[in-house]
Amino acid sequence: MNLVIVYPSWSSFGFYDLLANEPDAKVQKERPPFGVREIVGWLSDDVSSSVSAKALITRLEDCQLRGQSEYLGFGNAHHMAYAAGHLYLECEYSEGSQVLMTIEQAVSTLSDYMVFLQAGVRNKEAPPQPFMVEYLAEGEESYRRIEALGGRLGFSVEEMKGVSRADRQENKRRVLVDKSHTSKKS
């Protein structure tokens, strides 16, 4: 299990690690592990808002209730997959940037991220509160573990058919709405 304190900054996320236990010790800036960078990249690149974080929490809880493995899709930069109470994240653009978290760890991180976003204060004199990020594994180990749990990246053929069908239905709905608005203007 990996546990790291994230000290977010208002302009972008910053990462720090306390290397000494003395109360007046200076906080030293360090390069965080891949897992933390992946999680923070996912938060800033793909989640990015309180509304998205809340929707993702609901989606993860729904996955847990259904209890079956599911590819959750691809955001701006990250793939997400669910299997057996775990969330797997993988960055499309960075080799080795993979992480595995329990759903509880993911929900906790998303909730803390929402608190950071909702504070909305951009005052350097009142920095945002740090929060803990916890995860099980990073890199190739995380992929091996999600695979062993029955997780996968990518949609199945049946899921692709469903997505295509849903897209076609949505396009038809838009055309009907557009025609309706056009005919009312005439």
Side-chain angles (χ1 to χ4, degrees):
M1 183 125 27
N2 301 286
L3 186 62
V4 179
I5 299 173
V6 173
Y7 291 82
S9 66
W10 292 123
S11 58
S12 63
F13 270 95
F15 303 97
Y16 301 87
D17 191 12
L18 292 173
L19 296 179
N21 291 328
E22 292 88 3
D24 59 349
K26 292 184 179 179
V27 176
Q28 299 180 10
K29 191 171 188 174
E30 284 204 341
R31 186 153 176 86
F34 282 113
V36 176
R37 286 184 279 165
E38 173 65 9
I39 292 167
V40 174
W42 168 64
L43 292 172
S44 62
D45 296 341
D46 292 291
V47 178
S48 74
S49 74
S50 293
V51 172
S52 295
K54 188 172 179 116
L56 189 52
I57 288 171
T58 300
R59 190 164 181 206
L60 292 172
E61 290 169 344
D62 289 346
C63 286
Q64 204 159 17
L65 287 174
R66 283 191 300 277
Q68 60 192 40
S69 296
E70 191 173 329
Y71 175 60
L72 300 174
F74 179 73
N76 290 328
H78 299 84
H79 290 279
M80 297 182 296
Y82 169 84
H86 295 79
L87 174 65
Y88 172 78
L89 303 170
E90 180 177 306
C91 184
E92 178 76 10
Y93 305 108
S94 179
E95 187 73 29
S97 290
Q98 304 143 314
V99 69
L100 182 67
M101 311 169 79
T102 65
I103 294 305
E104 292 78 16
Q105 291 167 336
V107 167
S108 175
T109 297
L110 288 164
S111 297
D112 288 342
Y113 184 63
M114 286 181 359
V115 168
F116 162 69
L117 291 172
Q118 290 168 348
V121 178
R122 306 270 191 237
N123 180 350
K124 291 182 181 183
E125 301 301 316
Q129 291 297 308
F131 58 89
M132 300 297 281
V133 172
E134 187 175 14
Y135 59 98
L136 298 174
E138 61 188 17
E140 279 297 315
E141 178 190 350
S142 62
Y143 184 75
R144 283 192 296 276
R145 288 175 71 174
I146 196 73
E147 203 172 38
L149 293 168
R152 62 186 162 74
L153 288 184
F155 292 112
S156 69
V157 172
E158 288 304 311
E159 289 169 331
M160 288 301 291
K161 287 179 183 176
V163 168
S164 296
R165 189 173 21 259
D167 287 345
R168 285 193 304 272
Q169 289 173 342
E170 178 60 21
N171 288 339
K172 285 180 184 177
R173 186 195 68 75
R174 279 193 202 125
V175 168
L176 291 173
V177 168
D178 289 345
K179 283 183 181 179
S180 171
H181 288 303
T182 305
S183 66
K184 286 180 183 177
K185 290 180 183 178
S186 302

